[in-house]
Amino acid sequence: MQAVDALIRGRLASDVVLINQIAEHIVGGGGKRLRPMLHLLAAEAAGYDGGDQVQLAALIEFIHTSTLLHDDVVDESDLRRGRKTANALWGNAASVLVGDFLYSRSFQMMVELDSMRIMRILADTTNRIAEGEVLQLLNIGNADTGEQAYLDVIERKTAVLFSAATRLGAVLAGLPAPQEEALARYGLDLGFAFQIADDVLDYVSDAATLGKNIGDDLAEGKPTLPVIRAIARSEPQQAALLRAAIESGDTGALEAIVAAIRDCGALDYAHARAVDYARSAQAALDVLPPSPAREALAVLADYAVDRRS
């Protein structure tokens, strides 16, 4: 991870000062580097002993970081990881363009690896992420969004990059197709678990722990699983309150909204779904030989659903 971090900072360099400032702000913002870590662990668990995993891990983080810059502009967010977002500090135009720079830098690094298979996986992945952004946009303010539509969004927005990170570990090691697919499935299910748990935290955590404000998803009109479940299971009066909040983005009655989500068991339900995905991810690892790296991947699945930030 130290080698990955050094490479990230080295490849951020540009002779355009603003690019350096914005990229350093978000990359140096205290993120967990979870996706590159997953790739390194998957490559090690798969038995890879080369050196390309460091470059792949770094470019995977660049792809993720570029999506964060674009997300914050679309969501009009002003807080991420407890700090001002890039768009809040430098404006939307600069944030979008630096996000584009990070995307293109990741593809430069991808080409350097000279593997059509790797390029195809990552090109398909970034395309799916873009689809997820548009799908989420279509769901904004839609109180009739169902659970499957929600899962379709988080599969593309979050889970596919987790899956690519772990699949590419198997690709580097040249594992047979069944083991490659198992590592890809681990990443996909972990991504589902991670995002669902994150959406639960939006109603039970706080800005100091979560790095964003309570109810931010609601204010942005995002129908996440706790709200979707609560609308389906609440008494009519509470369901109407939740629907109105999604449709208007009004969090003025946030205390009553959180109580409605909690009282109908929606938070427990969503957390249970996240745990189910985490257990499925762990089961996918059974096709790999025991190793410290495989054990670390299993532990990360527990972390995904039982974290405070």
Side-chain angles (χ1 to χ4, degrees):
M1 288 302 296
Q2 288 177 336
V4 171
D5 196 60
L7 184 59
I8 285 172
R9 294 181 183 282
R11 297 305 294 267
L12 279 177
S14 168
D15 58 7
V16 179
V17 174
L18 184 59
I19 289 176
N20 293 329
Q21 290 175 332
I22 295 178
E24 175 57 32
H25 174 78
I26 191 165
V27 169
K32 293 173 282 290
R33 301 278 199 272
L34 182 57
R35 292 150 190 84
M37 186 190 306
L38 283 170
H39 174 66
L40 296 181
L41 286 170
E44 187 173 333
Y48 179 66
D49 60 0
D52 286 345
Q53 76 274 37
V54 172
Q55 180 135 331
L56 261 175
L59 74 86
I60 287 167
E61 184 68 1
F62 278 168
I63 291 171
H64 172 58
T65 303
S66 67
T67 67
L68 298 185
L69 283 163
H70 290 161
D71 275 355
D72 287 341
V73 169
V74 172
D75 297 339
E76 301 179 3
S77 301
D78 60 7
L79 193 67
R80 179 177 289 280
R81 297 167 183 163
R83 307 166 77 216
K84 283 285 189 182
T85 55
N87 52 297
L89 293 171
W90 287 280
N92 288 343
S95 294
V96 169
L97 294 173
V98 173
D100 293 343
F101 167 82
L102 291 175
Y103 256 136
S104 58
R105 179 52 52 89
S106 71
F107 275 79
Q108 286 179 322
M109 296 170 68
M110 200 185 305
V111 170
E112 291 167 9
L113 293 171
D114 197 23
S115 166
M116 185 57 70
R117 180 82 198 289
I118 288 172
M119 286 190 281
R120 182 175 292 112
I121 290 168
L122 286 169
D124 290 346
T125 298
T126 53
N127 190 254
R128 296 275 283 173
I129 293 170
E131 288 178 336
E133 296 286 358
V134 177
L135 275 178
Q136 178 170 271
L137 190 62
L138 291 173
N139 290 341
I140 293 295
N142 181 8
D144 293 319
T145 301
E147 187 170 325
Q148 188 55 55
Y150 161 81
L151 292 173
D152 289 344
V153 168
I154 65 172
E155 177 181 353
R156 290 168 171 83
K157 277 203 64 185
T158 301
V160 293
L161 190 56
F162 278 66
S163 184
T166 50
R167 179 188 293 277
L168 288 168
V171 169
L172 286 181
L175 288 187
Q179 290 178 308
E180 179 187 318
E181 290 303 323
L183 267 173
R185 169 54 61 183
Y186 163 84
L188 193 73
D189 286 344
L190 181 69
F192 277 116
F194 185 89
Q195 188 59 56
I196 294 170
D198 201 63
D199 292 341
V200 170
L201 283 173
D202 191 58
Y203 294 98
V204 300
S205 189
D206 53 50
T209 344
L210 186 57
K212 62 178 184 177
N213 298 311
I214 283 287
D216 272 359
D217 288 344
L218 195 68
E220 292 160 9
K222 291 180 182 176
T224 57
L225 187 55
V227 179
I228 291 168
R229 179 71 174 182
I231 288 173
R233 294 295 174 127
S234 293
E235 295 297 324
Q237 185 176 353
Q238 291 177 313
L241 175 69
L242 293 166
R243 293 178 67 88
I246 284 292
E247 290 166 357
S248 68
D250 183 3
T251 57
L254 185 59
E255 189 174 332
I257 289 166
V258 172
I261 294 170
R262 182 187 62 243
D263 292 347
C264 73
L267 291 175
D268 291 337
Y269 172 81
H271 182 263
R273 288 300 311 271
V275 170
D276 288 344
Y277 277 113
R279 297 294 169 263
S280 178
Q282 290 170 328
L285 297 172
D286 290 345
V287 301
L288 297 174
S291 70
R294 192 187 83 168
E295 178 60 26
L297 289 170
V299 169
L300 275 174
D302 289 329
Y303 162 77
V305 294
D306 290 316
R307 62 199 157 94
R308 291 189 58 81
S309 62

